[in-house]
Amino acid sequence: MARVAFIGLGNMGGGMAANLAKAGHHVVAFDLSKDALDRAAAHGCSIADHAEAAVADVDAVVTMLPAGKHVAEVYRTNVLLNAPKSAILIDCSTIDVATAKAVEGEAGFAGFNMVDAPVSGGIAAAEGGTLTFMVGGSAEGFERARLYLEAMGKAVIHAGGAGAGQAAKICNNMLLGATMAATCEAFVLARKLGLDEQKFFDISSKASGQSWSMTSYCPVPGVGPETPADRGYEGGFAAALMLKDLKLAMEAAEAAGAYTPMGGEAEELYQRFVDRGGAAKDFSCLIKMIDDSWAAPADSNTPVPPVTALD
Ligand code: NAD
């Protein structure tokens, strides 16, 4: 089996590194957090003292970092200077398309094959090895990366050239943010018009208003399959991460000259929700801001202006 460096062992990377180790790879892990390293060691990974040591003499490097600036820094100062040129470089973080293309270009110039491979699926999918990977890079890079990605996911799809994985990820999540916001609005209006929510679900989930946000992730508790709405909007996909992805989509739209008014509206709504203390709640909790029943958690330091006074 191969020797794999894994950098970034947080909520997502911790489970992913554990699955690579479970598949029989020798995983050499590095993170700035000691707790994260201790958890990785408990899941069968070897621990490196620094990133340079982690990437020396490996067959693959996998990174799962918070944002583009972390990815650029780790590749420019650690990976590209210390990993063997024969190693396939795989960045699974969700980052802006421009940084992904720039870093992949620099890696190629330095003689490496690198792919962007962001994921769909949250912490439970990372732990369960059921992520979906959307991969940007050359056909050869995709085939080499697939060996490692299949140990961490249920689907690995080649989206296109460098940056195409990130493009697919943010376009998908822009669509998700906008359909969730529209689904929340429709349920609130239905209720105000005197419609029973279950009846509205029964009708709309089989009519032209149907979407994943309604049929698989309904924001109304007790309606449809079990979702975070049935658990007080805990767990699931945090509103802060939806906001991050919508911001990346809006940045990319501006750079590409694409008109995305629905994505822009969704970004504004999620920004307001996060500003009102909703960052850690599942993104479907937006319905509580739309129906004006949102109360920020007691430990939230964020002042909550009345929703009805929104601009
Ligand atoms: P996280 O903050 O839990 O983990 C990031 C880890 O990177 C931390 O442990 C941090 O210490 C480490 N790190 C930061 N800079 C570093 C450096 N220079 N060297 C080594 N380690 C460093 O974040 P997460 O929730 O695991 O998300 C990781 C990525 O996955 C993000 O890009 C996020 O947008 C994406 N993502 C997250 C989810 C989710 O549900 N959490 C779902 C899909 C995609």
Side-chain angles (χ1 to χ4, degrees), residues 247-301:
K247 283 184 182 299
L248 290 176
M250 291 307 99
E251 253 177 62
E254 196 179 340
Y259 180 49
T260 52
M262 303 296 285
E265 280 295 325
E267 183 203 4
E268 266 188 57
L269 281 169
Y270 277 101
Q271 183 70 64
R272 288 180 199 168
F273 186 54
V274 166
D275 289 347
R276 285 162 180 75
K281 287 285 184 184
D282 179 70
F283 79 117
S284 65
C285 192
L286 185 73
I287 195 168
K288 290 179 83 62
M289 190 179 84
I290 289 173
D291 72 8
D292 211 359
S293 67
W294 170 245
D299 58 358
S300 166
N301 294 324

Side-chain angles (χ1 to χ4, degrees), residues 7-14 30-33 36 51 64-67 70 73-74 78 92-95 119-123 169 236-238 241 244-245:
I7 302 177
L9 304 152
N11 289 322
M12 297 293 288
F30 177 71
D31 194 290
L32 299 176
S33 150
M64 193 54 164
L65 295 161
H70 307 97
E73 188 199 315
V74 164
N78 303 129
C92 296
S93 327
T94 301
I95 68 169
V119 306
S120 176
I123 300 164
K169 163 85 187 176
F237 183 49
L241 287 173
K244 172 193 168 181
D245 293 354

Side-chain angles (χ1 to χ4, degrees), residues 3-160:
R3 196 175 158 89
V4 185
F6 204 114
I7 302 177
L9 304 152
N11 289 322
M12 297 293 288
M16 293 163 69
N19 282 325
L20 277 173
K22 210 155 80 182
H25 296 298
H26 180 168
V27 180
V28 190
F30 177 71
D31 194 290
L32 299 176
S33 150
K34 165 126 184 18
D35 284 353
L37 286 175
D38 289 346
R39 281 194 299 274
H43 284 104
C45 302
S46 303
I47 301 308
D49 289 339
H50 42 81
E52 291 87 332
V55 302
D57 194 24
V58 292
D59 303 297
V61 176
V62 183
T63 45
M64 193 54 164
L65 295 161
K69 64 179 181 187
H70 307 97
V71 171
E73 188 199 315
V74 164
Y75 279 90
R76 284 176 187 151
T77 62
N78 303 129
V79 179
L80 299 185
L81 300 177
N82 296 287
K85 303 271 191 267
S86 55
I88 176 75
L89 310 183
I90 308 169
D91 178 40
C92 296
S93 327
T94 301
I95 68 169
D96 58 289
V97 177
T99 301
K101 283 184 174 171
V103 174
E104 279 169 59
E106 288 166 39
F109 191 70
F112 290 93
N113 203 332
M114 178 171 179
V115 298
D116 50 294
V119 306
S120 176
I123 300 164
E127 284 171 1
T130 57
L131 293 166
T132 293
F133 290 91
M134 24 207 132
V135 185
S138 66
E140 188 208 332
F142 171 73
E143 285 307 329
R144 290 180 61 198
R146 191 214 287 260
L147 169 72
Y148 305 99
L149 299 176
E150 280 177 346
M152 302 184 280
K154 63 171 193 247
V156 183
I157 300 159
H158 191 194

